[in-house]
Each structure stands twice: as C-alpha cells, then as structure tokens.
Amino acid sequence: MSQEQTQNDNKVMTKKLVVVVVIMIAFGFAMVPLYDVFCQITGLNGKSNGLAVYEEQEADMSREITVQFMTINKTDMPWEFRPVQTQIKVHPGKEYEVLFAVKNRTGDEMVGQAIPSFSPNLTAQYFNKTECFCFNQQTLAAGESEEMPMRFFIDKDIPARYDTITLAYTLHNVTPDDESLAAAQ
C-alpha cells in the first residue's frame, strides 16, 4: 500500500471518528430529556405529572388505599428528616395533607432538596400532589426545625390491584459550595 493511499485511509477514518464523537456528545445531551420523558410515562423515579389541581369531587368511599411514607437521607445530608405519620388510609378522589418534620442539626445554613419515588412504580401516575415541599429546595438556618406539608389525592381511576402505595423521599444536600457562592456575588 502506498503512502498516499494510507493517508487517504487515515483521513476517511478520522472523519468517521469525528462523526461518532459528535453523535456521542449529542446523545449525551439528549439523555436527560429522554430520561425525563421515560420516567414521566412509566412513573419511575417518582416522576409524575407535576403539580395537580384538586377539584372537589365525590370520593370513592368503597375503596381504601394505604399510603406509607418513608424518608432517606443521602450520606452528606446531616438533617433529621421524617414523616410525622408513617402511613394513612385514604379514599381515591379525596384530598389529604400530611406533614414531614425536618431539622438542620448542623451549625451552618444548609439547602436540601427532597426527591420522591413510588412503589409500586406505576402508582406515580395516579398520585397527584397539589402542594409539596419537594417542588422547591428548602433552606434551613443552623439548628432550625420545620414541619413541611404535602397535599395530595389519588386518582379514582387507579386500578383495584393497588391497595398500598409507598412514597419515599430521599433528601439531598444541595447547599452551594463556597466557590459557587463567591462566583454568584
């Protein structure tokens, strides 16, 4: 093989590799919105239809669903975080409110973000939150405590096979580090 042929082959290969890299980068950027759509459709990772509006409706008093509440702290989140009630029995179509207690046990102001998840996963599409602390980041001063409300209703169209739903919140530390605070000022 001549040197000229080798150079041509190298140019073709380089172009192919550049195209592959561009496709990989584009796919990487597309993964987040694709994952959000997938979670929205399947209810995975606690993704539901977002903020719901509750309109007074006749509750299905013939059905009772147990809703269990759990809380988990990521290892870098030193707050106390727990549901005030660990479970309640609800009727589909009726709105309920539960409280979650949180306390910053540190000597510094911190910011937390709660991420919900459901079990069974598919129940997320029937669980509608009208108000939730999980919609926003929560900032607590050193030693501060708070009770945070979560209002919800379960859609009356939930299949009969679901008689228990577990809602777990994982609390993440999203406190900006000193470098990003200095850059923002």
Side-chain angles (χ1 to χ4, degrees):
M1 192 183 285
S2 71
Q3 185 175 3
E4 187 176 313
Q5 179 64 31
T6 303
Q7 286 178 342
N8 284 339
D9 289 347
N10 287 344
K11 286 180 183 179
V12 169
M13 181 59 73
T14 300
K15 288 178 184 178
K16 287 180 182 179
L17 290 174
V18 167
V19 168
V20 168
V21 168
V22 168
I23 290 171
M24 289 173 59
I25 290 171
F27 185 72
F29 280 106
M31 283 301 297
V32 172
L34 289 174
Y35 179 75
D36 284 343
V37 168
F38 175 76
C39 289
Q40 191 78 27
I41 291 168
T42 64
L44 291 175
N45 201 23
K47 300 282 185 182
S48 61
N49 296 332
L51 178 63
V53 176
Y54 179 75
E55 294 179 12
E56 192 66 34
Q57 54 185 294
E58 188 176 328
D60 182 354
M61 302 307 282
S62 69
R63 293 190 58 198
E64 195 171 71
I65 298 174
T66 301
V67 180
Q68 302 170 328
F69 303 102
M70 295 175 47
T71 56
I72 304 159
N73 283 31
K74 293 300 280 183
T75 55
D76 66 339
M77 180 48 102
W79 290 4
E80 289 176 23
F81 179 46
R82 64 177 176 75
V84 173
Q85 292 177 269
T86 57
Q87 76 176 29
I88 63 171
K89 297 203 179 281
V90 303
H91 297 285
K94 186 175 178 187
E95 188 174 36
Y96 295 87
E97 180 176 288
V98 293
L99 297 172
F100 287 78
V102 66
K103 180 176 183 176
N104 180 353
R105 297 182 301 178
T106 71
D108 298 310
E109 179 178 276
M110 289 186 70
V111 181
Q113 176 73 54
I115 306 296
S117 60
F118 293 88
S119 179
N121 288 333
L122 294 178
T123 58
Q125 62 189 314
Y126 302 101
F127 198 102
N128 301 284
K129 295 179 209 145
T130 58
E131 177 185 345
C132 186
F133 58 91
C134 64
F135 294 155
N136 301 304
Q137 295 178 350
Q138 305 298 319
T139 302
L140 293 180
E144 182 179 8
S145 298
E146 193 173 314
E147 284 193 344
M148 304 179 298
M150 191 267 293
R151 294 182 64 84
F152 71 96
F153 65 97
I154 296 175
D155 194 304
K156 292 193 312 186
D157 294 332
I158 188 169
R161 69 180 176 269
Y162 298 121
D163 60 358
T164 302
I165 298 173
T166 302
L167 170 57
Y169 282 106
T170 303
L171 190 63
H172 296 263
N173 180 359
V174 293
T175 307
D177 58 15
D178 292 337
E179 292 172 14
S180 61
L181 281 175
Q185 294 174 351

